[in-house]
Amino acid sequence: MTRCLDRMLAVAMVALASAMGAHASPAKETMIHYVTGENTYPFSPAVRAGNTVYLSGQIGADASGLGKDFETQARLAMDNIMSAAKLSGMGPENLAKCTVMLADMKNWDAFNAIYRTYFQAGRFPARSAFGVTGLALGAALEVECIGYVATPANAR
């Protein structure tokens, strides 16, 4: 009787896995795609995992270094995020969640004014913002985002 129940359970598990789209063989292509760019640091500007794209944190710097003031750094950080999004085949409409780290929370309103200009009114990503005690290279802020694309990385 126990053997019969074990066999029935095994058949039911296989049927359930099949119905849910599970396959016995491993995927031939990885669902993770590392988007590369001109980066000297040990991280990718973006990583796609299926339909989700994780954008690495961006600070307000360009080839000449950090921006001279908060507003310049905020614009550069957002420009850098949008560049990483573009490398991944996304635009601002694809961003679902952003996290903002501010070295001084007094800059929250100033950041909001700049941040708004990067998105269509009423189409803002979900967002968190918090104060931190230090950021890479002494930056005034860092922004990271998560996006969504309709076509998974391995469907190319």
Side-chain angles (χ1 to χ4, degrees), residues 31 48-53 88-90 94 148-156:
M31 288 293 290
R48 288 178 66 171
N51 295 80
T52 304
V53 181
S88 304
M90 298 189 307
N94 297 98
Y148 176 84
V149 288
T151 306
N154 70 344
R156 294 177 178 189

Side-chain angles (χ1 to χ4, degrees), residues 2 5 16 45 49 55 67 69 71 102 116-117 148:
T2 302
L5 287 175
L16 179 61
L55 301 179
D69 55 31
E71 287 76 17
L102 298 166
R116 287 177 190 280
T117 67
Y148 176 84

Side-chain angles (χ1 to χ4, degrees), residues 131-151:
V132 296
T133 58
L135 291 165
L137 307 177
L141 76 156
E142 183 168 344
V143 180
E144 68 177 21
C145 297
I146 300 170
Y148 176 84
V149 288
T151 306

Side-chain angles (χ1 to χ4, degrees), residues 85-105:
K86 187 175 180 180
L87 279 173
S88 304
M90 298 189 307
E93 69 280 0
N94 297 98
L95 299 181
K97 171 73 169 87
C98 293
T99 302
V100 181
M101 294 148 270
L102 298 166
D104 186 343
M105 286 302 292

